[in-house]
Amino acid sequence: MKIVTYNVNGIKARLPRLLEYLAEQAPDIVCLQELKSSDETFPEADIRAAGYGAVWHGQKAFNGVAVLARGADPVERQRGLDGESDDDHSRYLEAEVDGVVVASIYLPNGNPQPGPKFDYKLRWIDRLGQRARALLAEERPTILAGDYNVIPNDDDTYSVHAMQDDALMQPESRAGFRAVAAQGWTDALRTRHPRGGVWTFWDYQAGAWQRDAGFRIDHLLLSPQAADRLVDAGVDKEYRGRDKASDHAPTWASFRDG
């Protein structure tokens, strides 16, 4: 089983690239972020024609998450996180596919920091941690996959100096991410590439892709039951270099059947 997290940076603009990826790689489950699409304009027909069922939590021109499953219809479990009744951002969607629980996560960016956007980011991480703890208690194969907008370690970026003032790399952001992981989650990509130097995002600006000036912010956190089945993890980097591509590359983990 191959499970992918993919920030598409606008599903309508990036639909040809997404369909291309589904056809060429045939992943079993895909967690999408930054749809920038309302629920009504989500391209369900195109995705179903590609052989995938889907659930989605859209928001016009902003945010938005989805879960796709090859040859199956994901069963939605939860949309949104508890803890802030006035939070209307579409950033969390949890579903079940063939006995596996997956969550598609689009964690707030938090820039500029300090400020209210950064404060919201930190609160959101805490709320995610509360949900993550409840999921662990279920003792099931579970994957929290998404764009976390956190660079966990210095070797997860091309330049510590360039990113030192960014919300993605602040000590509070890192501490929040590590607090979630410390509950008992395994960072799939880090496990397979412990020396770092693996990027999932390259900005459109300043020739970042051409210079390989990227960083790692797309993560798959695995419950113990999922980690026991982990075979490999990586980044389908070459899709970032295609015409009109997202600024993220599909990031994946593969698992033995249970």
Side-chain angles (χ1 to χ4, degrees):
M1 175 180 280
K2 181 176 181 177
I3 299 179
V4 175
T5 180
Y6 192 5
N7 179 320
V8 292
N9 190 18
I11 193 167
K12 287 177 281 188
R14 242 54 83 177
L15 186 59
R17 296 288 77 81
L18 173 61
L19 297 177
E20 184 176 69
Y21 181 75
L22 297 178
E24 293 176 5
Q25 296 296 325
D28 297 284
I29 300 173
V30 184
C31 295
L32 301 177
Q33 301 87 38
E34 206 169 355
L35 302 178
K36 299 180 180 177
S37 167
S38 68
D39 282 339
E40 294 74 22
T41 58
F42 182 84
E44 179 185 13
D46 296 285
I47 288 170
R48 193 166 290 278
Y52 285 77
V55 292
W56 60 94
H57 181 23
Q59 188 169 354
K60 185 178 179 180
F62 191 55
N63 300 324
V65 285
V67 177
L68 316 184
R70 184 162 59 92
D73 289 318
V75 178
E76 182 176 323
R77 287 170 46 109
Q78 179 171 316
R79 60 177 56 202
L81 292 171
D82 295 336
E84 291 194 30
S85 59
D86 60 344
D87 184 2
D88 60 356
H89 287 200
S90 299
R91 295 184 176 275
Y92 182 90
L93 183 63
E94 184 180 300
E96 182 172 337
V97 181
D98 293 333
V100 175
V101 177
V102 294
S104 184
I105 292 164
Y106 183 41
L107 204 143
N109 177 284
N111 283 304
Q113 69 83 27
K117 290 185 177 181
F118 189 61
D119 295 341
Y120 171 61
K121 178 191 186 90
L122 299 182
R123 294 196 310 272
W124 206 95
I125 296 175
D126 288 343
R127 292 161 59 202
L128 175 63
Q130 294 171 23
R131 182 59 188 160
R133 190 174 293 107
L135 288 169
L136 278 181
E138 295 185 17
E139 298 186 353
R140 302 180 61 190
T142 303
I143 297 94
L144 306 180
D147 176 1
Y148 281 71
N149 272 313
V150 176
I151 299 170
N153 309 286
D154 285 356
D155 57 10
D156 288 321
T157 177
Y158 77 101
S159 171
V160 171
H161 176 73
M163 298 302 296
Q164 65 184 352
D165 296 325
D166 197 285
L168 278 61
M169 213 176 74
Q170 294 310 296
E172 299 91 337
S173 303
R174 288 179 162 183
F177 179 85
R178 289 171 180 164
V180 174
Q183 296 175 1
W185 300 90
T186 295
D187 181 341
L189 204 60
R190 190 72 182 182
T191 298
R192 299 300 298 171
H193 304 276
R195 296 184 179 180
V198 176
W199 319 142
T200 67
F201 171 89
W202 297 257
D203 198 285
Y204 290 131
Q205 306 299 318
W209 169 248
Q210 292 77 9
R211 296 185 293 117
D212 197 28
F215 40 84
R216 184 174 78 101
I217 55 175
D218 301 273
H219 311 301
L220 299 102
L221 296 186
L222 316 180
S223 71
Q225 295 76 17
D228 285 347
R229 292 160 53 180
L230 179 65
V231 174
D232 202 359
V235 181
D236 287 330
K237 180 178 177 180
E238 69 104 349
Y239 287 88
R240 172 61 180 85
R242 298 195 179 186
D243 184 49
K244 298 180 180 178
S246 171
D247 43 9
H248 295 249
T251 303
W252 56 269
S254 61
F255 302 87
R256 291 184 295 272
D257 291 336

